Amino acid sequence: MNNLSDKIKELKKEIVSDSYSMSIGELISLYNDEELDIHPRFQRLFRWSSYQKTRFIESILLNIPIPPIFVSQNEEGVWDVIDGVQRLSTIFQFVGKLKDQYGNTVDKLVLEGTKALPELEGLYWEADSPFESVLPKDVKLDFKRSRIVVNIVKKESDTSAKYELFQRLNTGGSNLSDQEVRNCLMIMSKPSFYDFVEKLSLNEDFIETTPISNRLVDEQYRMELITRYLIAANCDLSNVRKEYKDLAPLLDEKILELGDSNQFNYEIQEYIFNSVFKIIKSLDQINCEDVFKKYMNGRFSGPVLSAAFLTITVGIANALQNSDGITEDFTKIAELIKGLHEQNIFYTYTRAGIRAVDRFETLTSFGKEYFSGKSKGL
C-alpha cells in the first residue's frame, strides 16, 4: 500500500495549481489584452446552438453557479484555456469582443427568449442601430461583476500533465468525439502539425473514396482515419499491445509524438498520402470502387470499414516507399483488395471480441506484408 501512496504523491506533484474567483469583467480585460488564449480554432469544434448560448448567459444573469474554468499558464504568463472555451467564447461573443482565428470580430450574439426569461428575446449587449434592443444598464453591470472560478495549472507543471488534464475534462460527459479532443490536443501541442493533418483531410481523392455520414463528418471521423494512417505508417507499434489497453490513448500519444518529431518530413508524407489516394481513386477506372467497404458476392457494400482503410492505405504507402512495382499495376492492387476479406488474418482480426489495439497493430503489419506480395494470407 505504501507504493500506492508514494505513487499518488508523486503524480500530485506533476500539477501545480492555484484557484481564483474572477469577475467576468476581469476575464474580458484579460482577453482584450491577449493574456487569455481561448484557441479560436477550437470554436468550430464545439457545437453550441444560439439557444444553448442564451441559456448559458441566462444562467449567469440568474446567478446560477457556473462550472470552473481551467487554464494553463505558459512561460510568458499567458493563460491557455484547457476547459471552458465554449463558455468563455459565448461571453466574449455576447459582449462583442470575440475574435476568430484570423483576428476578425465574430458576429455578435443576439439572445433568444427562454422559459424563465422570455424578455431576453432579441436583446444585444450593445446596439449598432436604433432598431436593436439591449440589456438594461443595471443588468449589464451585474453581469460583468458575476464571478467565475478559474483553476490555474501553473507553468511549473509538466506539459504532459496539461494534455492529460485536457483529456480528462473533455471526454466522458463531453459532446466532443475522441478525435475532436485529439484535434484540440494537436492544436495545443503544435498548430502547424494540426494544419498539416487538416490539409490532408481536404484531399479530394481521399474525400471521394471515404463516403461517410454527415454525423461522422461532424465528429471529424476523416481526421481520425488520417490519424490512424499516419501512426501506422510512421510509428513503431511493436510493443503497443503491452503498453495500451485501449486504442484511443494510443492514438492520442502517438499523434502527439509524430507532431513533435524532427524526423517527420511534411513534404514527403504529403506526397505519399496524395499518391496513395490517387492510386485508390484511379481504381474506379477498372470498376473497383468503394474499396474501403466489405467485398462480398462480387461487390463492395456497406459502410466504410476502418480496418479495411488501415490495411489498404498502409499497405500501398509501404509499397510506394519501397518502390514496389505493384503500385503501378492497378489490376493487381484491385485483385488484392477484393481478396482481402478472404484472408485468414484479416478475417480473424476484424471479428467482434478482438481488442482494438491488437487489431490495429496486427493489420498494420499485415497490410505492409500483404501489399508487398510476400504474404501467404495465414
Side-chain angles (χ1 to χ4, degrees):
M1 272 312 247
N2 287 337
N3 289 337
L4 175 60
S5 299
D6 292 341
K7 183 68 173 179
I8 291 173
K9 290 177 182 177
E10 179 183 341
L11 292 174
K12 277 184 176 180
K13 292 178 181 178
E14 291 185 4
I15 296 183
V16 181
S17 62
D18 208 341
S19 181
Y20 297 106
S21 175
M22 303 190 69
S23 71
I24 286 177
E26 290 174 308
L27 290 170
I28 293 171
S29 295
L30 286 173
Y31 181 67
N32 283 338
D33 294 339
E34 298 184 349
E35 296 176 14
L36 181 67
D37 186 356
I38 61 170
H39 294 289
R41 280 183 288 188
F42 281 14
Q43 292 161 23
R44 60 196 172 97
L45 299 177
F46 292 78
R47 296 185 291 273
W48 272 14
S49 66
S50 177
Y51 185 71
Q52 286 174 305
K53 293 176 181 179
T54 295
R55 288 276 290 173
F56 176 67
I57 297 298
E58 177 194 48
S59 295
I60 297 174
L61 295 176
L62 296 178
N63 202 30
I64 295 172
I66 303 301
I69 303 294
F70 286 81
V71 301
S72 173
Q73 182 174 308
N74 67 21
E75 293 297 327
E76 298 175 346
V78 174
W79 285 357
D80 187 15
V81 178
I82 298 175
D83 183 63
V85 169
Q86 185 63 75
R87 281 166 276 159
L88 290 173
S89 296
T90 297
I91 291 170
F92 299 151
Q93 182 185 6
F94 181 48
V95 299
K97 301 295 184 181
L98 184 63
K99 307 283 187 181
D100 63 20
Q101 67 188 79
Y102 306 107
N104 301 315
T105 301
V106 175
D107 290 343
K108 59 186 182 180
L109 175 66
V110 55
L111 300 179
E112 299 182 16
T114 66
K115 184 177 180 179
L117 294 175
E119 296 84 359
L120 293 178
E121 180 68 37
L123 295 186
Y124 292 87
W125 181 261
E126 294 285 358
D128 291 331
S129 77
F131 305 103
E132 293 180 350
S133 301
V134 299
L135 286 176
K137 184 175 181 180
D138 62 320
V139 175
K140 291 169 66 174
L141 288 174
D142 285 342
F143 181 86
K144 292 178 69 175
R145 291 167 182 163
S146 297
R147 307 189 75 81
I148 298 177
V149 174
V150 180
N151 290 323
I152 303 137
V153 182
K154 293 189 175 179
K155 61 184 178 183
E156 294 86 354
S157 300
D158 185 85
T159 302
S160 62
K162 166 183 168 181
Y163 299 146
E164 174 75 11
L165 180 59
F166 180 86
Q167 288 170 294
R168 288 177 183 269
L169 291 170
N170 288 280
T171 53
S174 172
N175 290 324
L176 296 182
S177 67
D178 286 345
Q179 186 58 41
E180 288 172 309
V181 173
R182 199 170 293 126
N183 289 348
C184 292
L185 288 172
M186 284 191 278
I187 292 172
M188 291 167 65
S189 174
K190 194 166 185 179
S192 60
F193 183 73
Y194 170 81
D195 292 339
F196 170 74
V197 178
E198 186 178 44
K199 181 181 179 182
L200 296 186
S201 75
L202 300 177
N203 177 293
E204 291 185 6
D205 291 335
F206 167 65
I207 292 173
E208 290 182 21
T209 55
T210 54
I212 59 176
S213 68
N214 290 334
R215 178 182 64 81
L216 290 177
V217 171
D218 288 342
E219 294 177 358
Q220 302 289 303
Y221 186 60
R222 285 200 174 98
M223 289 283 280
E224 176 167 335
L225 289 175
I226 294 174
T227 296
R228 294 185 183 211
Y229 161 81
L230 289 174
I231 292 170
N234 295 280
C235 295
D236 179 7
L237 303 177
S238 57
N239 292 316
V240 295
R241 294 178 185 231
K242 296 180 180 179
E243 295 176 11
Y244 301 93
K245 292 184 178 180
D246 298 311
L247 185 60
L250 184 158
L251 298 180
D252 292 343
E253 293 182 23
K254 293 298 183 182
I255 201 65
L256 291 180
E257 286 179 14
L258 277 184
D260 288 336
S261 173
N262 293 325
Q263 305 302 315
F264 189 86
N265 188 304
Y266 286 53
E267 291 185 6
I268 292 175
Q269 292 299 324
E270 182 178 2
Y271 173 78
I272 293 172
F273 180 87
N274 291 343
S275 298
V276 166
F277 283 93
K278 184 177 181 180
I279 290 172
I280 292 171
K281 178 59 181 172
S282 296
L283 297 179
D284 291 356
Q285 301 170 12
I286 54 174
N287 298 317
C288 187
E289 303 176 23
D290 294 327
V291 298
F292 300 132
K293 299 180 179 181
K294 186 170 184 177
Y295 187 75
M296 188 169 57
N297 299 324
R299 60 190 292 266
F300 292 97
S301 61
V304 169
L305 302 175
S306 60
F309 176 90
L310 177 71
T311 309
I312 294 168
T313 57
V314 172
I316 295 176
N318 185 67
L320 280 168
Q321 288 176 294
N322 292 322
S323 301
D324 194 317
I326 193 175
T327 57
E328 299 174 5
D329 189 344
F330 291 176
T331 301
K332 180 62 176 177
I333 292 176
E335 290 176 358
L336 287 171
I337 292 174
K338 290 177 180 179
L340 180 62
H341 295 268
E342 298 177 0
Q343 300 300 310
N344 289 336
I345 290 180
F346 188 83
Y347 173 75
T348 299
Y349 279 86
T350 54
R351 289 185 301 176
I354 298 296
R355 281 201 324 155
V357 173
D358 295 351
R359 179 183 298 118
F360 188 79
E361 188 277 330
T362 299
L363 294 185
T364 295
S365 177
F366 171 66
K368 292 177 180 179
E369 185 180 12
Y370 183 66
F371 284 90
S372 71
K374 300 175 184 178
S375 173
K376 298 178 181 179
L378 298 177

